[in-house]
């Protein structure tokens, strides 16, 4: 039963052309990639269109995903819904979103219902295409709707919302398009110590947050002139100086834990690029 299995990767995996990874409707175990990469992901599993399945109740950590996808997508890349923990994961490669009724995209998951996303990086750039649709367009570098905790994450991808006639609404953001999840019940999200370096081309702020009860604290970005409504100690920066990096490393969530308490820290590489490094490792193990 894969759903309840603990999985540890012993090396990189290359998915054969034309194949997908096994579909998991719900995952309750621990998937530890040990820093390895799942490569050549060209096909997403059916239904929720994601790599590992519909809902994560367990832990997915320490794995990189290199994708080359052309699809009508309505989900996140790793899982659709996260009610567990996704930690230290990186998404790289390319994604082309085709015309369809719904064209939502998110780097890690579509919905972070009441789970945790820790120290993850999205490098995928996406342009939502022009066309007539019924419904909405909602895309975030990390997730579409956040009703849990996102802490210590980076979006490096450029996300562009191109005008789509008949859309009910559109929202895109570097981290989460909506900092709230509401279906059977409402969960208010918390985005702590996150950074955006990608260009976000829309009328929405980089961190989209209009809900009393949700929190955005110590989040920073380098592109655009985004609104800072309802944000604490956040704003646009021109470089990742020591003061900003210290703020990212020490900002605390509702459990009084910083990203360092989870075992990671922000620093810059030799080119001044912001990266996340496991505290127990050297910068050579930084997220890409």
């Amino acid at each position: 039963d894969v759903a309840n299995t603990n999985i540890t990767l012993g090396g990189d995996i290359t998915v054969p052309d034309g194949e997908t990874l096994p579909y998991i409707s719900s995952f309750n175990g621990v998937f530890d990639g040990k820093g390895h990469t799942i490569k050549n992901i060209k096909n997403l599993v059916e239904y929720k269109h994601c790599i590992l399945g519909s809902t994560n109740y367990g832990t997915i950590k320490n794995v990189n995903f290199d994708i080359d996808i052309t699809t009508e997508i309505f989900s996140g890349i790793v899982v659709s819904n996260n009610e567990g923990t996704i930690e230290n994961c990186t998404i790289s490669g390319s994604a082309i979103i085709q015309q369809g009724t719904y064209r939502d995209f998110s780097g890690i998951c579509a919905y972070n219902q009441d789970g945790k996303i820790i120290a993850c990086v999205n490098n995928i750039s996406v342009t939502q295409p022009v066309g007539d649709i019924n419904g909405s367009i909602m895309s975030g570098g990390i997730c579409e709707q956040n009703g849990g905790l996102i802490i210590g994450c980076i979006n490096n991808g450029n996300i562009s919302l191109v005008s789509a006639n008949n859309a009910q609404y559109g929202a895109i953001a570097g981290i989460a398009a909506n900092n709230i999840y509401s279906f059977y019940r409402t969960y208010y999200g918390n985005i702590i110590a996150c950074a955006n370096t990608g260009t976000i081309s829309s009328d929405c702020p980089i961190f989209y947050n209009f809900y009393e009860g949700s929190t955005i604290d110590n989040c920073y970005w380098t592109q655009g002139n985004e609104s800072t409504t309802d944000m604490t100690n956040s704003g646009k920066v021109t470089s990742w100086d020591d003061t900003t990096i210290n703020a990212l490393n020490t900002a605390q969530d509702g459990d009084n834990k910083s990203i360092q308490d989870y075992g990671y820290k922000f620093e810059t590489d030799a080119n001044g690029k912001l990266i996340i490094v496991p505290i127990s490792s050297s910068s050579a193990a930084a997220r890409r």
Side-chain angles (χ1 to χ4, degrees), residues 249-266:
N249 282 329
T250 58
Q252 295 181 334
D253 61 19
D255 294 324
N256 298 318
K257 296 177 69 174
S258 71
I259 190 60
Q260 295 178 105
D261 294 316
Y262 287 102
Y264 305 92
K265 66 178 181 178
F266 287 92

Side-chain angles (χ1 to χ4, degrees), residues 2 8 25 27 36 45 55 62 66 68 76 81 93 110 118 129 133 164 177 187 193 217 226 247 250 260 268 288:
V2 175
T8 301
S25 61
F27 182 68
H36 296 297
V45 297
T55 301
N62 305 327
D66 277 350
D68 181 10
N81 186 41
I118 303 166
I133 67 169
Y187 298 88
D217 187 15
E226 290 70 29
T250 58
Q260 295 178 105
T268 55
R288 296 177 297 164

Side-chain angles (χ1 to χ4, degrees), residues 97-100 103 126-131 133 137 160-164:
I97 310 305
Q98 295 177 322
Q99 178 63 42
R103 298 195 306 271
V126 172
T127 298
Q128 307 285 31
V130 175
I133 67 169
I137 298 175
S160 175
L161 174 60
V162 179
S163 177

Side-chain angles (χ1 to χ4, degrees), residues 49 70-74 96-104:
H49 304 290
T70 299
T71 185
E72 176 189 337
I73 193 170
F74 180 41
I96 299 174
I97 310 305
Q98 295 177 322
Q99 178 63 42
T101 301
Y102 296 95
R103 298 195 306 271
D104 298 344

Side-chain angles (χ1 to χ4, degrees), residues 183-259:
F183 192 53
Y184 293 114
R185 58 167 289 188
T186 298
Y187 298 88
Y188 295 98
N190 298 286
I191 303 174
I192 310 295
C194 290
N196 180 79
T197 69
T199 299
I200 309 301
S201 304
S202 76
D203 295 331
C204 304
I206 281 188
F207 298 93
Y208 191 83
N209 179 39
F210 294 149
Y211 302 100
E212 184 177 354
S214 60
T215 301
I216 296 177
D217 187 15
N218 281 283
C219 293
Y220 301 92
W221 56 90
T222 59
Q223 303 288 338
N225 297 303
E226 290 70 29
S227 168
T228 57
T229 303
D230 298 328
M231 301 183 195
T232 304
N233 303 320
S234 301
K236 182 180 179 181
V237 296
T238 56
S239 64
W240 303 108
D241 57 28
D242 291 343
T243 299
T244 303
I245 290 177
N246 181 66
L248 288 167
N249 282 329
T250 58
Q252 295 181 334
D253 61 19
D255 294 324
N256 298 318
K257 296 177 69 174
S258 71
I259 190 60

Side-chain angles (χ1 to χ4, degrees), residues 22 105 283 286:
F105 164 85
S283 57

Side-chain angles (χ1 to χ4, degrees), residues 12 63 72-73 122 142 147 155 160 208 218 227 271 274 287:
D12 292 350
V63 59
E72 176 189 337
I73 193 170
N122 174 58
I142 302 299
N155 174 60
S160 175
Y208 191 83
N218 281 283
S227 168
N271 297 315
L274 188 69
R287 311 319 298 159

